């Protein structure tokens, strides 16, 4: 998606829209909650030797870290797949072709609509063309014009198109949220936090490699 593509994206960037919690975030929160419970139990085990406790905490930390990184990768992959699906639903013509009695004629009409939309140079011209297409019931041309408005950042034109299509508006909003997670500094920070896990005080000063080695000693692996 372009850097600035309509009111939905602008609202998201300005914080005027509440971004939906992702499945990955929910999973990560659950994993961290279980981790905290496990940490409390280990710290409360009075009869456990301090060094044995450190080893068990290292194992808990390493296992939790691996689980969070898995969630992080799954969220990234899910976002990519969902974004591709949403773009196809918004700007593709699978639904039109599915109902068309003549595929060749329909494909010709789609190419003609895309060509006409591609020749639009100003938002005012696009707005008038969209209004004419809507009035004439030409859904194929209206979609092509909306895609042109999306590509050119003609917010008012795109907004007019989405305002009468609540399902597409929701899809566009979801795509915008994914775009933010994948292409902004804030999104990169959020994605990094998804897989992060603080080091407990018992393991302070140890690197991730050292913690992993403590959790999985060489003799145990053999």
């Amino acid at each position: 998606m372009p850097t600035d593509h309509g009111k939905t994206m602008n609202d998201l960037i300005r914080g005027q829209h509440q971004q939906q919690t992702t499945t990955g975030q929910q999973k990560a929160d659950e994993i961290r909650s279980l981790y905290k419970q496990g940490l409390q139990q280990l710290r409360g085990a009075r009869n456990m030797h301090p060094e044995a406790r450190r080893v068990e905490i290292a194992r808990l930390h390493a296992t939790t870290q691996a689980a969070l990184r898995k969630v992080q990768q799954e969220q990234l992959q899910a976002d990519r797949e969902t974004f591709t699906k949403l773009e196809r639903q918004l700007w593709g013509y699978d639904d039109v072709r599915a109902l068309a009695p003549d595929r060749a004629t329909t494909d010709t009409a789609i190419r003609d609509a895309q060509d006409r939309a591609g020749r639009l140079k100003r938002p005012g011209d696009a707005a008038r063309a969209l209004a004419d297409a809507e009035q004439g019931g030409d859904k194929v041309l209206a979609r092509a014009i909306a895609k042109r408005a999306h590509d050119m950042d003609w917010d008012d034109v795109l907004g007019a198109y989405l305002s009468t299509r609540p399902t597409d508006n929701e899809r566009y909003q979801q795509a915008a949220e994914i775009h933010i997670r994948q292409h902004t500094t804030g999104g990169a920070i959020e994605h990094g936090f998804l897989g992060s896990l603080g080091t407990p005080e018992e393991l302070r000063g140890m690197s991730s490699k050292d913690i992993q080695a403590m959790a999985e000693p060489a003799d145990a692996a053999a």
Side-chain angles (χ1 to χ4, degrees):
M1 285 193 169
T3 303
D4 175 16
H5 54 85
K7 185 176 184 302
T8 300
M9 175 63 86
N10 291 334
D11 286 349
L12 284 165
I13 292 174
R14 294 168 185 162
Q16 297 172 358
H17 169 78
Q18 183 70 33
Q19 189 165 352
Q20 297 298 313
T21 301
T22 65
T23 301
Q25 289 172 318
Q26 293 172 353
K27 288 182 178 179
D29 289 343
E30 292 172 0
I31 290 170
R32 289 194 181 92
S33 178
L34 291 173
Y35 168 74
K36 289 179 180 178
Q37 292 176 26
L39 200 56
Q40 290 176 354
Q41 290 175 359
L42 287 171
R43 286 170 173 169
R46 301 297 183 185
N47 296 329
M48 184 176 289
H49 189 279
E51 188 56 31
R53 181 183 293 110
R54 288 187 75 234
V55 171
E56 290 303 318
I57 289 176
R59 288 173 178 167
L60 175 64
H61 187 277
T63 300
T64 304
Q65 182 69 81
L68 288 173
R69 286 174 178 161
K70 184 173 184 289
V71 168
Q72 186 182 45
Q73 291 303 311
E74 288 175 345
Q75 182 64 57
L76 183 63
Q77 183 61 29
D79 275 350
R80 288 172 177 167
E81 293 175 356
T82 300
F83 189 84
T84 298
K85 177 181 177 181
L86 289 170
E87 288 227 302
R88 190 177 184 90
Q89 290 173 331
L90 283 166
W91 312 127
Y93 295 92
D94 291 346
D95 56 335
V96 175
R97 292 187 176 99
L99 299 175
D102 185 347
R103 175 65 179 268
T105 300
T106 300
D107 286 346
T108 298
I110 291 172
R111 287 192 296 270
D112 178 67
Q114 292 172 328
D115 183 63
R116 291 169 63 184
R119 291 198 297 268
L120 295 168
K121 303 300 182 184
R122 294 185 293 272
D125 295 338
R128 286 187 290 273
L130 177 62
D132 290 344
E134 298 280 42
Q135 186 174 10
D138 192 338
K139 296 181 179 180
V140 171
L141 180 57
R143 189 176 300 180
I145 294 170
K147 177 60 164 62
R148 175 67 170 170
H150 163 78
D151 292 341
M152 299 299 290
D153 293 333
W154 295 336
D155 299 356
D156 292 343
V157 181
L158 180 60
Y161 175 81
L162 294 175
S163 67
T164 60
R165 296 167 173 82
T167 299
D168 281 344
N169 186 57
E170 185 176 343
R171 288 168 176 163
Y172 191 88
Q173 176 178 298
Q174 188 179 356
E177 290 177 344
I178 293 174
H179 179 85
I180 284 180
R181 288 200 293 271
Q182 293 185 336
H183 298 93
T184 67
T185 301
I189 292 174
E190 178 184 325
H191 180 69
F193 178 73
L194 201 62
S196 66
L197 182 66
T199 304
E201 61 183 28
E202 291 85 353
L203 307 177
R204 190 122 336 135
M206 296 180 64
S207 66
S208 297
K209 185 176 180 180
D210 291 337
I211 294 174
Q212 190 68 36
M214 179 181 286
E216 299 179 2
D219 57 347

